[in-house]
Amino acid sequence: EGTILLVEDDADVQQAFAFQLTSLGYELIEAQNGADALAIVESGRSFDLLFTDIVMPGGLSGVDLAQRLRRFRPDLKVIFTTGYSDEIVAGSGPLEDDAIILRKPCDKNQLSAALSQVLD
């Protein structure tokens, strides 16, 4: 189905997403934060979609990460996820009008629907 770069700072949440994504047939590259994700990308690893938490420690939000990666891959497909309120999310940077945001917790059907919307 494709390869997803999964960026999530909470280990339990990352494990849950990883289980759901692999059960849907996707291959995963996992990172704990934006800096790790950038290092993975700079190493030349290929992926079809960035699936990233918006609010993360380390000074690089998911929004920042997506913007940086799109400088090199303008067509990069992205799904954002968050458990925070809209006000906190807004502090992480401007999102595009058509940005897809999954609220945590989300179930496998919501996840599958978002992936179909972005990847098809």
Side-chain angles (χ1 to χ4, degrees):
E1 292 248 359
T3 302
I4 295 174
L5 176 55
L6 170 61
V7 188
E8 170 60 60
D9 60 289
D10 182 305
D12 292 335
V13 174
Q14 184 171 25
Q15 189 174 14
F17 275 134
F19 178 77
Q20 289 180 330
L21 290 165
T22 54
S23 72
L24 288 167
Y26 294 94
E27 300 218 6
L28 292 184
I29 303 167
E30 297 181 55
Q32 269 67 55
N33 56 50
D36 287 352
L38 283 176
I40 288 167
V41 172
E42 287 167 4
S43 77
R45 298 280 306 269
S46 171
F47 58 95
D48 304 299
L49 176 120
L50 172 65
F51 187 95
T52 182
D53 193 4
I54 293 176
V55 179
M56 294 185 289
L60 191 65
S61 73
V63 177
D64 296 333
L65 175 63
Q67 288 172 342
R68 283 197 190 185
L69 296 182
R70 280 191 168 142
R71 286 185 203 146
F72 309 102
R73 288 184 54 189
D75 61 336
L76 179 65
K77 295 171 177 19
V78 181
I79 294 177
F80 296 102
T81 181
T82 189
Y84 288 100
S85 68
D86 290 340
E87 292 76 27
I88 292 173
V89 167
S92 296
L95 284 161
E96 292 145 1
D97 292 339
D98 61 346
I100 295 178
I101 302 174
L102 276 177
R103 295 282 172 185
K104 295 184 230 177
C106 66
D107 66 28
K108 191 172 169 180
N109 291 335
Q110 292 168 310
L111 187 58
S112 180
L115 288 162
S116 294
Q117 184 180 346
V118 174
L119 292 173
D120 291 346

